[in-house]
Structure formats: structure tokens, C-alpha cells
Amino acid sequence: MSYLMSNYAPLEVTFVKGKGCYLTDTQGEKYLDALSGVGVVGLGHCHPNITAAIQMQAAELLHTSNWYHIAHQETLAERLCKLADMDNVFFANSGAEANEAAIKIARLHGHANQITNPVILTANQSFHGRTMATLSATGNAKVQAGFSPLVSEFIYIDFNDVSAIQAHTNNHNIVAVMLEPIQGESGVHVPKDDYLNQVQSICQANNWLLILDEVQTGIGRTGKLFAHQYNHITPDVLTLAKGLGNGVPIGACLAKGKAATLLTPGTHGSTFGGNPLVCKTALSVLDTIEQDNILEHVIQMNEYLVSGLQSIATDKVTEIRSKGLMIAIQLNQDCTELLNAALQKKLLINITGRSIRLLPPLIISQAEADIIINTINELLSAL
Ligand SMILES: Cc1ncc(COP(=O)(O)O)c(C=O)c1O
């Protein structure tokens, strides 16, 4: 019997050590982690720079609270704002919390404009987190099942369909559109190249905030530091988490322009958010991405992995969707069994319905990519 609540169904393996793209279990067996702890350890497990930053900061100062200035937090905020062309940041501890801040900003924006019942448009098949507001924002009945009454007011529209958003322009209660630039959890759905540009134009014409949830797509995952940079746009609100801490819990909600003026003293907060330890770690993540030309490497490894996967693609594969190192292999049949089959072959992957999802560390080498390609080939042949 376990003393843990039953909300997870973990695979039968316990990892005790990590290095680069590999994890080692209690028996000393090594596994190739093609999922990066669900898109978190972009720089790999126990990257020496990150370990050193954590060790140094842990010996210096872990926590003070946001009732005092925190130097590393201010440095990290400036760095992120300059990188993303945003004005300011609120630090939280997770993606869901970063999105909670974004939703609160959207509501404040509505109230500032005399909208007393503010509504946010979000996409079907999206994922924004597991708190009450973020699961309500999530356009997926499975995530919401059992938790009604949901937080109102979200209206779900089809992703990658500009007209679905345009159709709501006569609803004067709408204050924001909240989207993932690429839908991750539902299986790497990449929209048309100019989708976000068109959505932004509609938002600007209607005084709606454009909120981009880059919790999964951010921090180099797609080959740009932020996925929306492919569109040369700047959102009003941008949320980050996962890869920003490479394993230490951090979330960030960045805002620009009018959206950056709405949180005032007493309107939002977090005890742990942005403490010296996580901010120092995140700074070291950003340094390492820059110093090691990680973004360029992600683009090269996308080409290598995707062409390798295409070359093995059997008649069971209907499509390979990808941007950077977010990759989904769509099959013509259910492939749930591949989760355990891959584990037996010492490869960690994710299955989303009929697709295999890969989020390998951004530092993955060609030799490691070959192992992924060959193992998936074996798995598909046996399916
Ligand atoms: C796009 C997106 N938003 C939000 C979240 C929630 O983040 P967290 O689990 O850190 O709360 C996730 C997690 O997978 C995500 O992929």
C-alpha cells in the first residue's frame, strides 16, 4: 500500500541518478530520457552549470520572501524582459500558477474597461494546468471531469482556426485570448505559420489581451527561446515554467504595455515565488542556453531526428508533427502499449492517444537520437 494519493499511475521504475540524457534506476540500469521529465530538463539531468549554481546559492541564501528585494529575482526579471521584449514579470512556482496570474491580469483588464463579467477565449484540446482556474481554461472535458462547478468564464474555440475567434468579436465581454503557440499535451499540434499573427491582429482591433502559454514551448524547446518569436510578434502576457528552472520549480508570468500595469500591491503573490535559489538557477539556465548555442543545436537535431524517424516510418505512421524538439509520431492505431514496451527497451517516451510524443533534452547528441530512432523502429515493427 502507498501513502501517496492515487492521482498518478507511475510506471514500475524508480530513478536515483541522472546525467545528461540518461537516468539510472535502483538496479543500476540506464534509460534514455526522451521526455526530459515532461519538457523540464532541457539542459539534461544534473547539468554541471546548473548543479554548481544550485550548490553555490544553497550555501549562500535560499529564501527571504517577497517582502524584501531579491537581487537575483530582479536580475532574472530584467533578463527575461529583454529577451522576450516584455515590460515586467511575476514569479510563481509552476506553469499553472503562472497561468493563474495571466488569468487574473485578463480579468483586471476587463474591469479596467468596465467589463464586469470578463470572458477569455481558450482553445479546444489545450492544456493550461490543474488548478481550478487553469483546468477551467483547459479545453478538454477529461481534465475537467468531476470538478464542476468550473471557474467561469471561458469560451472554447477550435485551435488554428482564425474565423472561430473572429466569430466572437461582437461579444463585448471578451477580454483576452489565451493559447499555446503549439499545443503540447494534446500531441504537438503546430498551427499555420501566420495563425498567431492573425490572432494578434484581432486582439489588437478589439482591445483583447493576447496571452501566450509558453510553459512547454518556451526556453528553447522549439528552436527559438520563445515559440512566438517565429511569428515576430510580442504578446501582452507570456507564461513560462518547465525548462526555465531545468528541474527547480519556477513559473513566470510576463506582461507588456497596459497588461503590465494591472497587478498592484496586494493583488497577487506567492510565498516561494522567485526565491534566490530558483532565480539563480534560472539565470544559469539562460546563460548555458546562450553560451552553448543550444537554439541552433535544437534546429539541427530536429532535422536529424525527424528525417531519421521519416526513414523508418512504417505504414503505421500517418504523420510526424514537430517544431524543434517537440515531436509527435501519429499512428493509425492505438499505441498505449508502447509506453511499457519502450520502458523495457530503456527508452522513456509519452503516448498521447494514437501518437508517440518525444520531448528529448535540448542537448541530445546524434548518437542518442539514433538510439531513439532505432528503438522506435523496433517498437513499431512489433506493434
Ligand atoms: C502548455 C502548458 N501549460 C501549463 C502547464 C501546467 O504546468 P505545471 O504542471 O507546471 O503547473 C503545462 C504542463 O504540462 C503545459 O504543458
Side-chain angles (χ1 to χ4, degrees), residues 256-281:
K256 187 174 174 75
K258 55 185 181 277
T261 64
L262 295 166
L263 288 184
T264 52
T267 52
H268 199 46
S270 162
T271 297
F272 294 127
N275 81 15
L277 180 78
V278 297
C279 290
K280 183 72 188 173
T281 310

mmCIF file of all heavy atoms in Angstrom, residues 256-281:
data_model
loop_
_atom_site.group_PDB
_atom_site.id
_atom_site.type_symbol
_atom_site.label_atom_id
_atom_site.label_comp_id
_atom_site.label_asym_id
_atom_site.label_seq_id
_atom_site.Cartn_x
_atom_site.Cartn_y
_atom_site.Cartn_z
ATOM 1 N N LYS A 256 3.252 43.056 -20.823
ATOM 2 C CA LYS A 256 3.728 44.208 -21.608
ATOM 3 C C LYS A 256 2.626 45.250 -21.731
ATOM 4 O O LYS A 256 1.437 44.905 -21.770
ATOM 5 C CB LYS A 256 4.143 43.716 -23.000
ATOM 6 C CG LYS A 256 4.823 44.798 -23.847
ATOM 7 C CD LYS A 256 5.348 44.226 -25.142
ATOM 8 C CE LYS A 256 5.891 45.315 -26.043
ATOM 9 N NZ LYS A 256 7.185 45.827 -25.604
ATOM 10 N N GLY A 257 3.049 46.502 -21.795
ATOM 11 C CA GLY A 257 2.093 47.588 -22.050
ATOM 12 C C GLY A 257 1.042 47.682 -20.957
ATOM 13 O O GLY A 257 1.357 47.583 -19.776
ATOM 14 N N LYS A 258 -0.213 47.822 -21.389
ATOM 15 C CA LYS A 258 -1.282 48.009 -20.394
ATOM 16 C C LYS A 258 -1.391 46.799 -19.462
ATOM 17 O O LYS A 258 -1.689 46.936 -18.271
ATOM 18 C CB LYS A 258 -2.622 48.299 -21.084
ATOM 19 C CG LYS A 258 -3.043 47.245 -22.112
ATOM 20 C CD LYS A 258 -4.322 47.671 -22.847
ATOM 21 C CE LYS A 258 -4.781 46.626 -23.865
ATOM 22 N NZ LYS A 258 -4.114 46.690 -25.162
ATOM 23 N N ALA A 259 -1.096 45.603 -19.974
ATOM 24 C CA ALA A 259 -1.181 44.396 -19.140
ATOM 25 C C ALA A 259 -0.165 44.429 -18.006
ATOM 26 O O ALA A 259 -0.355 43.787 -16.969
ATOM 27 C CB ALA A 259 -0.965 43.150 -20.000
ATOM 28 N N ALA A 260 0.908 45.201 -18.200
ATOM 29 C CA ALA A 260 1.986 45.243 -17.203
ATOM 30 C C ALA A 260 1.674 46.201 -16.060
ATOM 31 O O ALA A 260 2.441 46.309 -15.108
ATOM 32 C CB ALA A 260 3.299 45.636 -17.879
ATOM 33 N N THR A 261 0.546 46.905 -16.150
ATOM 34 C CA THR A 261 0.235 47.922 -15.125
ATOM 35 C C THR A 261 -0.852 47.446 -14.163
ATOM 36 O O THR A 261 -1.229 48.168 -13.238
ATOM 37 C CB THR A 261 -0.274 49.215 -15.795
ATOM 38 O OG1 THR A 261 -1.520 48.891 -16.469
ATOM 39 C CG2 THR A 261 0.709 49.758 -16.813
ATOM 40 N N LEU A 262 -1.389 46.256 -14.379
ATOM 41 C CA LEU A 262 -2.634 45.884 -13.700
ATOM 42 C C LEU A 262 -2.455 45.269 -12.312
ATOM 43 O O LEU A 262 -3.308 45.448 -11.446
ATOM 44 C CB LEU A 262 -3.446 44.951 -14.610
ATOM 45 C CG LEU A 262 -3.924 45.644 -15.903
ATOM 46 C CD1 LEU A 262 -4.412 44.636 -16.925
ATOM 47 C CD2 LEU A 262 -5.018 46.657 -15.587
ATOM 48 N N LEU A 263 -1.372 44.515 -12.103
ATOM 49 C CA LEU A 263 -1.144 43.966 -10.757
ATOM 50 C C LEU A 263 -0.510 45.056 -9.897
ATOM 51 O O LEU A 263 0.552 45.581 -10.236
ATOM 52 C CB LEU A 263 -0.231 42.737 -10.802
ATOM 53 C CG LEU A 263 -0.814 41.439 -11.380
ATOM 54 C CD1 LEU A 263 0.204 40.306 -11.262
ATOM 55 C CD2 LEU A 263 -2.121 41.027 -10.698
ATOM 56 N N THR A 264 -1.171 45.381 -8.805
ATOM 57 C CA THR A 264 -0.680 46.431 -7.905
ATOM 58 C C THR A 264 -0.491 45.797 -6.520
ATOM 59 O O THR A 264 -0.969 44.675 -6.290
ATOM 60 C CB THR A 264 -1.695 47.584 -7.848
ATOM 61 O OG1 THR A 264 -2.980 47.018 -7.548
ATOM 62 C CG2 THR A 264 -1.761 48.342 -9.163
ATOM 63 N N PRO A 265 0.178 46.452 -5.598
ATOM 64 C CA PRO A 265 0.453 45.821 -4.304
ATOM 65 C C PRO A 265 -0.805 45.240 -3.656
ATOM 66 O O PRO A 265 -1.848 45.904 -3.588
ATOM 67 C CB PRO A 265 1.048 46.966 -3.475
ATOM 68 C CG PRO A 265 1.734 47.820 -4.500
ATOM 69 C CD PRO A 265 0.825 47.769 -5.713
ATOM 70 N N GLY A 266 -0.687 43.990 -3.235
ATOM 71 C CA GLY A 266 -1.804 43.332 -2.563
ATOM 72 C C GLY A 266 -2.718 42.539 -3.475
ATOM 73 O O GLY A 266 -3.608 41.822 -3.014
ATOM 74 N N THR A 267 -2.543 42.628 -4.811
ATOM 75 C CA THR A 267 -3.481 41.955 -5.716
ATOM 76 C C THR A 267 -3.066 40.519 -6.050
ATOM 77 O O THR A 267 -3.880 39.731 -6.532
ATOM 78 C CB THR A 267 -3.629 42.731 -7.042
ATOM 79 O OG1 THR A 267 -2.318 42.973 -7.573
ATOM 80 C CG2 THR A 267 -4.348 44.050 -6.836
ATOM 81 N N HIS A 268 -1.794 40.188 -5.827
ATOM 82 C CA HIS A 268 -1.355 38.823 -6.146
ATOM 83 C C HIS A 268 -0.064 38.543 -5.394
ATOM 84 O O HIS A 268 0.623 39.485 -4.973
ATOM 85 C CB HIS A 268 -1.135 38.678 -7.670
ATOM 86 C CG HIS A 268 -1.122 37.252 -8.121
ATOM 87 N ND1 HIS A 268 -2.060 36.338 -7.707
ATOM 88 C CD2 HIS A 268 -0.277 36.565 -8.929
ATOM 89 C CE1 HIS A 268 -1.794 35.160 -8.258
ATOM 90 N NE2 HIS A 268 -0.718 35.271 -9.007
ATOM 91 N N GLY A 269 0.265 37.266 -5.234
ATOM 92 C CA GLY A 269 1.505 36.964 -4.519
ATOM 93 C C GLY A 269 1.792 35.482 -4.452
ATOM 94 O O GLY A 269 1.001 34.651 -4.917
ATOM 95 N N SER A 270 2.947 35.147 -3.902
ATOM 96 C CA SER A 270 3.360 33.767 -3.726
ATOM 97 C C SER A 270 4.473 33.760 -2.681
ATOM 98 O O SER A 270 5.402 34.567 -2.767
ATOM 99 C CB SER A 270 3.882 33.219 -5.054
ATOM 100 O OG SER A 270 4.658 32.062 -4.831
ATOM 101 N N THR A 271 4.373 32.882 -1.698
ATOM 102 C CA THR A 271 5.411 32.837 -0.666
ATOM 103 C C THR A 271 6.765 32.485 -1.266
ATOM 104 O O THR A 271 7.765 33.152 -1.036
ATOM 105 C CB THR A 271 5.045 31.820 0.430
ATOM 106 O OG1 THR A 271 3.854 32.242 1.066
ATOM 107 C CG2 THR A 271 6.165 31.685 1.464
ATOM 108 N N PHE A 272 6.770 31.390 -2.055
ATOM 109 C CA PHE A 272 8.056 30.906 -2.561
ATOM 110 C C PHE A 272 8.493 31.590 -3.855
ATOM 111 O O PHE A 272 9.680 31.572 -4.197
ATOM 112 C CB PHE A 272 7.982 29.407 -2.865
ATOM 113 C CG PHE A 272 7.775 28.541 -1.642
ATOM 114 C CD1 PHE A 272 6.738 27.620 -1.598
ATOM 115 C CD2 PHE A 272 8.627 28.637 -0.564
ATOM 116 C CE1 PHE A 272 6.566 26.812 -0.489
ATOM 117 C CE2 PHE A 272 8.461 27.829 0.554
ATOM 118 C CZ PHE A 272 7.423 26.913 0.592
ATOM 119 N N GLY A 273 7.523 32.108 -4.622
ATOM 120 C CA GLY A 273 7.778 32.549 -5.997
ATOM 121 C C GLY A 273 9.000 33.437 -6.129
ATOM 122 O O GLY A 273 9.103 34.467 -5.460
ATOM 123 N N GLY A 274 9.908 33.046 -7.006
ATOM 124 C CA GLY A 274 11.064 33.881 -7.320
ATOM 125 C C GLY A 274 12.084 33.965 -6.206
ATOM 126 O O GLY A 274 12.767 34.981 -6.064
ATOM 127 N N ASN A 275 12.241 32.898 -5.415
ATOM 128 C CA ASN A 275 13.237 32.995 -4.334
ATOM 129 C C ASN A 275 14.661 32.945 -4.890
ATOM 130 O O ASN A 275 14.874 32.656 -6.066
ATOM 131 C CB ASN A 275 12.940 31.992 -3.201
ATOM 132 C CG ASN A 275 13.419 30.583 -3.477
ATOM 133 O OD1 ASN A 275 14.228 30.329 -4.375
ATOM 134 N ND2 ASN A 275 12.929 29.648 -2.690
ATOM 135 N N PRO A 276 15.643 33.292 -4.072
ATOM 136 C CA PRO A 276 17.018 33.397 -4.599
ATOM 137 C C PRO A 276 17.504 32.123 -5.274
ATOM 138 O O PRO A 276 18.183 32.182 -6.308
ATOM 139 C CB PRO A 276 17.847 33.715 -3.343
ATOM 140 C CG PRO A 276 16.884 34.392 -2.426
ATOM 141 C CD PRO A 276 15.559 33.741 -2.673
ATOM 142 N N LEU A 277 17.139 30.954 -4.735
ATOM 143 C CA LEU A 277 17.628 29.689 -5.298
ATOM 144 C C LEU A 277 17.126 29.479 -6.723
ATOM 145 O O LEU A 277 17.905 29.205 -7.641
ATOM 146 C CB LEU A 277 17.200 28.496 -4.424
ATOM 147 C CG LEU A 277 17.671 27.153 -4.967
ATOM 148 C CD1 LEU A 277 19.144 26.933 -4.645
ATOM 149 C CD2 LEU A 277 16.839 26.004 -4.416
ATOM 150 N N VAL A 278 15.809 29.613 -6.919
ATOM 151 C CA VAL A 278 15.268 29.310 -8.254
ATOM 152 C C VAL A 278 15.702 30.366 -9.273
ATOM 153 O O VAL A 278 15.940 30.045 -10.437
ATOM 154 C CB VAL A 278 13.725 29.138 -8.244
ATOM 155 C CG1 VAL A 278 13.327 27.956 -7.384
ATOM 156 C CG2 VAL A 278 13.000 30.397 -7.806
ATOM 157 N N CYS A 279 15.805 31.621 -8.828
ATOM 158 C CA CYS A 279 16.181 32.673 -9.780
ATOM 159 C C CYS A 279 17.632 32.519 -10.214
ATOM 160 O O CYS A 279 17.969 32.698 -11.383
ATOM 161 C CB CYS A 279 15.919 34.048 -9.184
ATOM 162 S SG CYS A 279 14.152 34.366 -9.045
ATOM 163 N N LYS A 280 18.506 32.177 -9.259
ATOM 164 C CA LYS A 280 19.908 31.962 -9.616
ATOM 165 C C LYS A 280 20.009 30.781 -10.603
ATOM 166 O O LYS A 280 20.769 30.823 -11.582
ATOM 167 C CB LYS A 280 20.717 31.668 -8.336
ATOM 168 C CG LYS A 280 22.186 31.497 -8.569
ATOM 169 C CD LYS A 280 22.841 32.826 -8.903
ATOM 170 C CE LYS A 280 24.278 32.660 -9.338
ATOM 171 N NZ LYS A 280 24.876 33.877 -9.806
ATOM 172 N N THR A 281 19.216 29.750 -10.354
ATOM 173 C CA THR A 281 19.229 28.579 -11.233
ATOM 174 C C THR A 281 18.748 28.960 -12.631
ATOM 175 O O THR A 281 19.367 28.592 -13.639
ATOM 176 C CB THR A 281 18.335 27.463 -10.655
ATOM 177 O OG1 THR A 281 18.673 27.254 -9.286
ATOM 178 C CG2 THR A 281 18.504 26.167 -11.421
#
